[in-house]
Amino acid sequence: MLNALNVRRNFKIQLPNLEIAAAEWGNPTGNPIIALHGWLDNIASYYPLLMQSNWLLQNNLRFIAFDLPGHGHSEHRHLSHPYNLVEYVQDLHDFVEALQLNEFSLLGHSLGAAIATLFAATFPQRVSNLILIEGVGPLTQTEEEGPAQLAKSILQRNRHYNRDNQYYEDLQLIIHARAKVSDLDEQNVALLVERNMRSTNQGYHWRSDPRLRLPTALYLTPKQAQAFNKNLSMPTILLYGKNGFVHKYPAVKERIADYKQLQIRELDGGHHLHMQYPEQVIETIVPFLKANS
């Protein structure tokens, strides 16, 4: 599949604590876009956008995507090191440092959008443009909800996961089952599932870390999230699906009011609209990037 996608190179980068799998497309000296995928997805979620890389070459763009830790082909965090949003921001920082990128555009879907907004608010001078797909920042909880959330996280953290020892004979059955509970068809589900699984003598086995499903220890409060959003100074565009769910969150209107430079586009599709209708996403983000180059 990667060959068909005209990938320029696949590579791995050693961060201080783990190894990250990545790939890039387009012009190697073009304006960089760092793409961040969603929870339990991987860089294959951007494959439909890259089926033809002409739009990257024509617009002098260098598209770089990487599997978040615990996802796809990237390493898992150490057992003593839980997964949380702030650590993903650290991973992104270390990744762009390793690539020696001083300024770049950020593209994030869902969890990736939350990571992108926190990074862009923390290092606004480094992010030239911010593109959000079905995400307006981190999930939040009130201060009062914190104790119960932390208790839930602690009690579940050390539980045993039988899935870690599960093997599957038929990959197509997994794809079919996932498609039933997804907004994606089987072709797009296959892209995600195939990258998230490895073939062994015992059958197919999940690459993704089971601990990704553990409850988050603590969320930011609404006021903390607001402080980050108010520090976003770069041009930003939010794409959401007509059948998605981000625009249905009660707090979305309050969130987007904090952005200094925000465009909003409603497009066809659901939560994975960039996989379902990649052409409309390209037709939306290219003019946005041109206008703010």
Side-chain angles (χ1 to χ4, degrees):
M1 177 58 71
L2 281 175
N3 290 334
L5 291 169
N6 300 314
V7 64
R8 194 176 78 82
R9 68 171 178 134
N10 298 300
F11 60 100
K12 292 190 175 182
I13 286 185
Q14 182 63 50
L15 302 187
N17 298 315
L18 45 76
E19 189 177 64
I20 293 293
E24 70 171 85
W25 294 257
N27 186 346
T29 60
N31 298 320
I33 301 175
I34 304 296
L36 305 169
H37 63 77
W39 178 63
L40 293 180
D41 289 346
N42 50 64
I43 66 173
S45 71
Y46 289 108
Y47 286 179
L49 285 178
L50 304 164
M51 289 294 183
Q52 294 184 5
S53 59
N54 288 342
W55 68 278
L56 297 174
L57 297 173
Q58 291 168 356
N59 295 284
N60 191 35
L61 298 173
R62 178 188 180 194
F63 193 102
I64 307 166
F66 69 93
D67 291 328
L68 294 170
H71 298 73
H73 291 220
S74 288
E75 285 188 338
H76 297 182
R77 297 204 191 282
H78 190 272
L79 290 176
S80 64
H81 198 170
Y83 292 90
N84 61 61
L85 190 58
V86 174
E87 289 299 321
Y88 285 130
V89 178
Q90 178 77 54
D91 298 326
L92 173 57
H93 174 270
D94 294 344
F95 182 77
V96 295
E97 286 290 290
L99 289 179
Q100 298 181 327
L101 295 176
N102 293 319
E103 188 175 355
F104 44 87
S105 295
L106 269 181
L107 166 61
H109 167 243
S110 196
L111 168 63
I115 298 167
T117 55
L118 288 185
F119 181 94
T122 305
F123 303 103
Q125 72 282 2
R126 301 189 67 173
V127 180
S128 53
N129 298 285
L130 184 59
I131 303 166
L132 307 175
I133 300 177
E134 282 280 305
V136 290
L139 296 176
T140 61
Q141 279 187 334
T142 64
E143 293 89 339
E144 292 77 14
E145 293 173 301
Q149 181 66 31
L150 183 57
K152 179 181 177 182
S153 173
I154 290 173
L155 292 174
Q156 293 192 35
R157 180 173 172 181
N158 294 324
R159 72 182 182 182
H160 178 68
Y161 274 83
N162 290 326
R163 188 186 120 179
D164 207 30
N165 297 317
Q166 286 184 335
Y167 292 84
Y168 306 85
E169 292 184 6
D170 192 338
L171 187 61
Q172 190 58 42
L173 288 178
I174 299 171
I175 293 170
H176 182 67
R178 283 297 177 92
K180 281 187 172 181
V181 295
S182 173
D183 61 343
L184 297 173
D185 59 24
E186 291 197 9
Q187 182 178 357
N188 278 320
V189 168
L191 295 177
L192 299 173
V193 169
E194 288 170 3
R195 186 168 179 88
N196 260 352
M197 300 203 81
R198 63 164 58 92
S199 178
T200 73
N201 292 333
Q202 296 173 269
Y204 292 98
H205 184 58
W206 289 104
R207 290 180 182 272
S208 50
D209 193 333
R211 292 184 298 144
L212 291 170
R213 296 180 179 273
L214 285 171
T216 298
L218 285 174
Y219 291 93
L220 294 182
T221 66
K223 286 188 177 180
Q224 287 174 320
Q226 182 182 54
F228 280 95
N229 287 348
K230 285 186 173 181
N231 208 43
L232 295 169
S233 56
M234 68 292 300
T236 304
I237 188 167
L238 166 64
L239 314 181
Y240 70 85
K242 293 178 181 178
N243 299 315
F245 56 76
V246 164
H247 67 293
K248 299 176 184 177
Y249 284 145
V252 165
K253 289 184 179 180
E254 289 79 9
R255 288 283 191 94
I256 62 178
D258 296 328
Y259 287 74
K260 292 183 174 69
Q261 300 186 63
L262 178 65
Q263 300 178 36
I264 304 173
R265 298 288 185 274
E266 180 186 67
L267 302 177
D268 292 330
H271 189 57
H272 289 81
L273 61 98
H274 58 304
M275 299 188 75
Q276 296 170 304
Y277 300 99
E279 296 85 1
Q280 68 172 351
V281 173
I282 294 170
E283 291 169 359
T284 303
I285 65 175
V286 167
F288 169 75
L289 292 172
K290 282 184 176 180
N292 297 291
S293 60

